[in-house]
Amino acid sequence: MLALPALLAQLAVIIVHRAKNRTGPQPEPYTLYTALCLLGITAGWLAIGRPEVTWADAPLVLISGLLITVEAAHATARLGAPRWADKAVCVLGGAAAATWMSSGWIPGT
């Protein structure tokens, strides 16, 4: 399952960002990040064969693929990554979160 390592990596980036930057909240492009995460979740869902979405999987996918990934993208941008890195975190993190819906450890099995 790709979702668990992706989730742990995102949490590590968020923790490093919060440890380094203790400034107050500032307005950020959360709408863009949210749209890119939803695009990534959809792409991941299509890539793993469009499994049936159940109530057991949907909250886990949305929490890890949307809420945590948006925060990780924000942290990536603030830590001085290249301009494209935060958008890549959104799309790839969303796609990785879609593997929570997969029945096996490797998508497609």
Side-chain angles (χ1 to χ4, degrees), residues 16-80:
V16 168
H17 169 258
R18 295 223 173 146
K20 285 184 79 171
N21 301 317
R22 299 205 179 256
T23 60
Q26 300 171 355
E28 296 297 327
Y30 285 114
T31 305
L32 173 65
Y33 290 163
T34 302
L36 289 173
C37 287
L38 290 173
L39 178 72
I41 290 170
T42 303
W45 177 72
L46 290 170
I48 62 173
R50 300 182 335 185
E52 181 180 343
V53 179
T54 63
W55 283 107
D57 297 332
L60 190 57
V61 170
L62 290 177
I63 289 171
S64 67
L66 194 60
L67 298 177
I68 295 174
T69 303
V70 166
E71 184 66 27
H74 171 70
T76 301
R78 288 286 173 214
L79 287 172

